[in-house]
Amino acid sequence: MKKREVHASVKDERLVMKRRNQMIKGAVTLFKEKGFHRTTTREIAKAAGFSIGTLYEYIRSKEDVLYLVCDSIYDEVHNRLQKDIDTKRGTLESLKLGMGQYFRVVDDLQDEVLVMYQEAKSLSKDALPYVLRKEAEMALIIEDIINRCVENGELDLTRDEVKLMSHNIVVLGQMWAFRRWNIQKKYSLEEYIDIQIKLIFEGIKKKEVPTK
């Protein structure tokens, strides 16, 4: 599926990127506070620091801004995970590292993640499939790490179990943002990471008491 093109009348690509990043930052704050439908393009322009006329030199519609917000989130998650995670080692340690790094990325982008999931439904039918594919690609990064562990004999999982486990990990990371009003009052980020990794690797079975 091709990346959806967002039209800009300005031809300077560096300037387009700069202005759109300003729009994204302003829009995330507004969408979080007011929602997509109640936010106006004039408000987005003001939050970005320029006029409504300038705004329309870089986008055509308010939906373009939401699309750019969604797209930037997954690009950031993807780029940082690919950069920080060693997907080639195929050890349980690399999987634990990957989980921790992913959770930390979500922590850094938690406002954007909330906006993405709350407002993606407002995207049109031609834009939504692309954004959903980007979300699926995020799970594929985790899936690749798990698969390498299976190939190295570190884990014994079927293909379906690997796929479901990768989605479980993605959702556990997102939960740090979705339920932050409760969870972040009880745990630090590092405590949350340690407990979730322990639950994934050790489960909730009763600990056996060693016999004498």
Side-chain angles (χ1 to χ4, degrees), residues 149-162:
C149 291
V150 173
E151 291 167 3
N152 283 353
E154 294 285 310
L155 292 172
D156 182 16
L157 298 171
T158 66
R159 182 178 299 179
D160 287 340
E161 289 170 340
V162 168

Side-chain angles (χ1 to χ4, degrees), residues 27 61 118 138 165 167 202:
S61 67
Q118 289 170 352
M138 187 164 59
M165 185 178 178
H167 284 282
E202 298 181 18

Side-chain angles (χ1 to χ4, degrees), residues 23-40:
M23 275 186 250
I24 288 167
K25 290 179 181 178
V28 164
T29 300
L30 291 167
F31 291 163
K32 186 180 70 169
E33 293 175 353
K34 303 179 64 174
F36 173 78
H37 291 294
R38 292 177 59 198
T39 299
T40 66

Side-chain angles (χ1 to χ4, degrees), residues 53-69:
T54 300
L55 182 84
Y56 280 111
E57 292 179 355
Y58 301 94
I59 59 163
R60 284 185 171 178
S61 67
K62 185 170 70 170
E63 185 192 68
D64 282 345
V65 181
L66 178 56
Y67 173 80
L68 291 171
V69 169

Side-chain angles (χ1 to χ4, degrees), residues 54-173:
T54 300
L55 182 84
Y56 280 111
E57 292 179 355
Y58 301 94
I59 59 163
R60 284 185 171 178
S61 67
K62 185 170 70 170
E63 185 192 68
D64 282 345
V65 181
L66 178 56
Y67 173 80
L68 291 171
V69 169
C70 297
D71 200 37
S72 69
I73 292 169
Y74 290 117
D75 281 346
E76 180 70 12
V77 170
H78 182 272
N79 291 339
R80 286 178 60 176
L81 285 180
Q82 291 286 54
K83 177 183 177 182
D84 293 337
I85 297 174
D86 181 356
T87 61
K88 298 179 180 179
R89 285 189 293 167
T91 64
L92 295 184
E93 197 60 38
S94 68
L95 178 55
K96 293 177 182 179
L97 174 65
M99 288 179 61
Q101 293 294 68
Y102 168 63
F103 288 179
R104 292 183 188 97
V105 173
V106 172
D107 179 62
D108 289 342
L109 300 174
Q110 51 189 288
D111 285 345
E112 288 87 342
V113 170
L114 282 171
V115 166
M116 166 65 212
Y117 280 94
Q118 289 170 352
E119 305 299 340
K121 61 184 180 294
S122 300
L123 289 166
S124 64
K125 290 182 179 180
D126 67 317
L128 183 58
Y130 173 78
V131 172
L132 292 178
R133 191 196 74 181
K134 299 284 283 189
E135 200 271 350
E137 287 175 352
M138 187 164 59
L140 285 174
I141 301 174
I142 303 296
E143 185 177 332
D144 181 62
I145 301 172
I146 301 171
N147 272 324
R148 293 180 185 276
C149 291
V150 173
E151 291 167 3
N152 283 353
E154 294 285 310
L155 292 172
D156 182 16
L157 298 171
T158 66
R159 182 178 299 179
D160 287 340
E161 289 170 340
V162 168
K163 190 169 292 292
L164 189 56
M165 185 178 178
S166 69
H167 284 282
N168 285 345
I169 291 171
V170 168
V171 173
L172 288 174

